[in-house]
Amino acid sequence: MDEVQAIKRLKKGDISGMDELVLRYQTKAIRTAYLITRDDSTAEEVVQETFLRIYQRIRFFDETRPFEPYFLRSVVHTALNAAEKKKREVPLQEDVDPGTMEELFRKASSVEDQVEYNQLKEEIFTALGKLTPRERTVIVERYYLKMTEKEMAEENEIAPGTVKWSLNMARCHLRTLLGKEENKS
Amino acid sequence: MMKRTSSQVIDEIAETKLGRDIDLSSSIRESVRRDNSRKMKTKKIIITVTAVILASVILMTIPGVARAIKRIFAYIPNAGIVEKSSPLRVLDEPVQVNDGETTIIVQQGVVDQNATTILYQVDHLFSTGEDDTAQTESTCDQIPQLKLSDGSVLQGKTISGNSWHTGYTRHLEYPALPGTENAVTLIFGCLEGKPLTSDLQPFEIPLKFVQAPADLTVYPIIDLPTPEGATADGNGAEAANGEVSGVSFALQKYVQTDDELILFGSLVTHSDSFRIAYADESAVHLTDAAGAEITLSQDYSVTDPEAAASDGKSLALAYRINGSYKVGQATMTIDDLWITLPAEATFTFDPGENPQPGQKWELNESLQAAGYTLLIKDVTLNDSGDGLMFTLGLPEDVAEVSLTDPDHPQWGGGGGSEATGFTYKDGFPAGPIQVTLTAITARLKGPWKATLDLPETSVNVPSEENTQACLTSASWKSALENTTSLPAEVQGTLLLADPLEPTFYYHVLKADVSGSERIDLGLGKDGSMSPDKSMVIYETDQGLMLLDLGSGQQKPVPGTSKIDHSPLWSPDGKRILFTRGPAAGPSGGMGTSSLVVMNADGSNQQTVLDDSFANRAQAWFSNSENVLYTVAGADGATVRTINLTTGEIQDNFEINYVNASVALSPDQTRAAYVAMLPGEKYAVYTSNLDGSDPKLIANADPIVVTGPYWSPDGQWLIMSVYDTSIDENHPVLALVQAETCRVIPLVALKGHVTSWK
C-alpha cells in the first residue's frame, strides 16, 4: 500500500485514510511500543495516542516524505515518555541474564534448535527489561527499527556522537547486568 | 543454517510476548471521530525550523506582489486547473501495461504551459497467493520519472491519489513538456507498493501526447462578481484581547462540473505584522438561500494559481460542494483562523555550572508578546545533554510558540502547544542562556463572510424522500427521550462483536434482542450462528473457532489461521463460507482476499474465488448456493453475487465506501449497507439488489451509524450508533423499521450485530 494516497485522503478529511495507515503500521508500532514500555495496554495506548496526534497534525505532514520513519519516531517518543512515567511507579528489578546483547543476537540469529532459540529470545527480553527506558529505546531503534547511528542522530536531531554514546551506555549496562548472571551461574 | 536478523529476533520476541495481533482500527477510528466531534480548541502543531520562521518574518516586510497578468484558466477533472493561454496537449489514448498480474493503466495526461499532469491506476498489486509483505518488508515508495527524448528526466510530485485493498491511483505533476516533445516515457524504477526484492526489474511505459481535441471536457473557471468579501466583524482595529485585524476574505471563482461545484477563494492579510497559517475546516460554513448549511469539503489538490502566494499574506482556499442546495444567494462564513505572529520576548535562564541530562529547572517565566501572556513553566535538559525542552502554559487562543537561542547554532527546533524545544549543534553551551520567543500561532477571531450566487447545477435536484433519513440526529434524540417498549414481533438472538474493557479486545457476545441473557462467548468477532442456533462460528487470532452453545465446547477449525475471517453459516446449515486474506497483516488490510467454503464441521475447505481482488463474503442467499460478496476497488466496493457451484458471477451494484458491509434482507429483495454521503458522512441505505430504489435509512451526522443487519422477519434493521453522550467507547444499537421509519434505541445492547436468528 502507498501511504501518500492515505495521507492525501486524510488531509481531505477522509478518515478511511487513517484506516489505511492503521492497518499498515499498527503491528510494527505496537511491537515497538511494547518493547519500550513492556506493557501491552500501555503499548496500545501509545499507538492510539500517536495515531490521534498524527491525525490532528496531518495537514502539516509532507506526504512526499516517507511516513513510516516519522510515525515510528513518534511512537518511540511517546512510548519512551510512557515508560519513563511507569519507571517511577515500578522499581526496576535486579534480575540477571547471560551473554551480551550482540552475543545474544549472534546466537539467536543462527541457532537451529527451537528450544534453545526460544530460550535465547526469553533471555533477550528479560535483559531488555533491566535497561532504563531510554536505553531500551536506543536498542529498539538500533536493532529493531534498524536505524543507523546517523539516522538516529538525524531523526532525533542530536549529534551522532551522542547516539554512539547512548548506544554504548545501553550496551555497557546490559553487559553489567549480564555479567552478574554469568557470575551467578 | 538458519539465519535471522536482530530485527527478526526482536520482532518475534514482541510477537510472542504480545501473544497475538492487536487490531486498533476501530478504537482509533472512534478516537478520531470523537476528536472531530468534540470541536475542542484546535491545537495545531507546525514543525517550523527557526530559519524558516525568520525568513518568513523577513518576507512579511516585502511590499505586496504585483498583480498577476490576466491568464485564462480552466478545470479538467482529475487533471486540475490548467492554463489555456496556449494549446493544451493530452495523452493520445490510455496506455495499459501488465507486470505479472499487476495492471498499470495511464488513464490521463495533460500538458499546459505550466505543468504536465499524469493520472494512472495500479491494480492487482498482489498476485494470487502472494503475501502482502507490506508490513514486514521494505516496499517501493518511488513515483515514476518522466524521460524525454534527449534522455533528460523530469521528477514529479504527488498531487492527489486514492487507494484500496489491491491498488491505487496516482495524480502526479511534472514540469511542462517542451512544445516539441510529444513522445516521452514514464519510467518506473520499481512499482510503488511492491516489495523491494533483489530481482526487481525497472519498466517503462511510452506515452504519446497530441493536441487536445475540440471535444475535450474542459470546464471554464467562472469569475464571481466583484467580491463582497468583508473583513471580520469588529476586527477593524487592534482589539483589547490581543486579536489582530486586517484580514479580508473573498470568493473569487467557481467551477461547475457535471456533478459538483468547486469554490475558490482566499484569505488575504493587509498587515505586515502576521501571516495566515490556516483555517480549520470545521470553522468554515456555507449557508444556502434557504438558510440550510451545505456540506463542504476542503480540497487541497486544486489551487487557484492566481490566489496562491508564497509570502504568507494570502491563503488560497478551495471547497467542493457535492450535495444539494437551494439556488440563489449563499453565504460562506469563516468563524476564525490561525495566524503566525512574529514575537519578540526574551528571558534568561542559568543552568548552572554542571547541568545534568534530565535535570529540570522550574522557571514560571511569564512572557508578554503580541498582546498575549505566555507562561514558560519549566525547562528540562534532554537525556542526551544537548537540548532543552520547555513546558508551556498557553492561553486558549494560542496554538503554539517557537523558542530559540539566537546565540548558539541549533539543529533545528519546533513549535509546540504544550512543550517546545531545540537541540544544540555544538553541544550544550556554558553559562546563562538567553531564550528568545520568535513566533506565536494564534487564533484570529472572525467571522469573515462572503456571498455568492450559487448556480443551478445538473445534480442540484433536492429530493426530500432521498435526503431525509429515518434515523437522524434529531429522530435519534427524540427516540431516546420517548422510550418505547420493544414490539412483540421483534424477537430473536443476536451475536455481537464489542471491544470490552479493560483491554478493548473484541469479544463475541450472545444476547437476546431485548438485551437480556447477555453472555460473553470469548475473544473474537464476526460470529455467525447456525440456523438451529446450536452452534456459533467466529474468528479469532488463532483461526476460525466453532462453539457448541449447548456444551460450551470450543473447537478450532483445522487449517484456518488469523487471516480467515467473516464466517457465514449457510441457511441450510450444511456449509460455512469465509474470507481468507490478506496473507499478512490484519484482516481488511492491503492484499488480496479469497472466498473459501467448507462443511459445517470445518472439513473439506475449498477456495471458490481467488482472483487477485480483495473479495469479502457478505451474505448467503436462501438457496445456500448463491452468495453476496463485495470487491474493493478504486471507487468503493462492488457488490456481486457468485454461485458456488457454477462459479458464475453477477454484478449487482456499486457502493462508494470501500469497507461497506452489506446485509441481505430475508426475502432477498433488498440490501442494507453503509455508504458515504458528501463530506464523508456515514449513512445507511437500503436498495434493490441492482442498486435501484435506494432509500436513506440513517444519516445522523455527527453521530456515526454503521453495521446494518436485518431482523429475521425483514421488517426491521438493527444498526450500531456511536453516540458518545451515551457511551464513550461503545456503539449502542438502534432498531429502525424501514417502512415506517420508526426508531427504537436499544441502549442496553452495545457493539455490532453479526448475526440475528
Side-chain angles (χ1 to χ4, degrees), chain B residues 369-597:
Chain B
Y372 297 94
T373 301
L374 317 169
L375 180 65
I376 314 298
K377 294 178 180 172
D378 56 56
V379 59
T380 303
L381 182 59
N382 67 10
D383 287 348
S384 309
D386 58 359
L388 293 171
M389 182 59 69
F390 299 86
T391 307
L392 310 169
L394 302 182
E396 183 73 12
D397 284 341
V398 175
E400 67 167 297
V401 300
S402 294
L403 299 175
T404 188
D405 173 358
D407 298 329
H408 301 94
Q410 295 145 41
W411 284 104
S417 57
E418 293 166 2
T420 185
F422 48 78
T423 306
Y424 289 102
K425 267 187 179 175
D426 303 326
F428 196 67
I433 294 169
Q434 191 179 62
V435 182
T436 302
L437 173 70
T438 56
I440 297 173
T441 299
R443 188 199 306 271
L444 185 62
K445 291 179 180 171
W448 291 265
K449 293 177 186 289
T451 57
L452 76 159
D453 282 329
L454 285 177
E456 195 158 348
T457 74
S458 56
V459 292
N460 185 29
V461 188
S463 172
E464 284 303 316
E465 63 274 17
N466 281 338
T467 55
Q468 185 62 44
C470 295
L471 202 169
T472 63
S473 56
S475 71
W476 174 246
K477 188 178 174 188
S478 172
L480 286 171
E481 289 170 352
N482 303 292
T483 52
T484 55
S485 56
L486 205 59
E489 74 269 18
V490 178
Q491 296 178 349
T493 305
L494 304 175
L495 287 183
L496 298 147
D498 193 25
L500 299 185
E501 288 94 341
T503 60
F504 287 93
Y505 295 143
Y506 270 98
H507 285 237
V508 179
L509 303 151
K510 174 174 164 284
D512 188 89
V513 71
S514 65
S516 64
E517 301 177 33
R518 183 173 176 270
I519 302 168
D520 182 358
L521 301 181
L523 279 171
K525 57 183 179 179
D526 284 0
S528 179
M529 198 178 294
S530 62
D532 63 3
K533 297 205 255 185
S534 66
M535 299 285 292
V536 168
I537 183 148
Y538 60 99
E539 69 167 82
T540 74
D541 285 337
Q542 288 74 46
L544 298 179
M545 190 73 74
L546 280 163
L547 170 65
D548 186 324
L549 289 172
S551 66
Q553 200 167 26
Q554 288 183 318
K555 177 189 160 194
V557 177
T560 63
S561 68
K562 63 180 181 182
I563 69 169
D564 297 317
H565 56 99
S566 309
L568 298 166
W569 216 297
S570 67
D572 64 8
K574 294 178 181 174
R575 294 194 287 180
I576 294 168
L577 180 77
F578 61 93
T579 307
R580 172 165 287 169
S587 64
M590 286 295 285
T592 61
S593 300
S594 54
L595 302 183
V596 182
V597 70

Side-chain angles (χ1 to χ4, degrees), chain A residues 24-25 38 58 69 80 124 133 140 161 169 173-174:
Chain A
R24 181 172 169 83
Y25 293 117
R38 298 175 71 79
I58 196 69
L80 176 58
I124 291 170
V140 167
M169 285 297 288
H173 190 175
L174 260 182

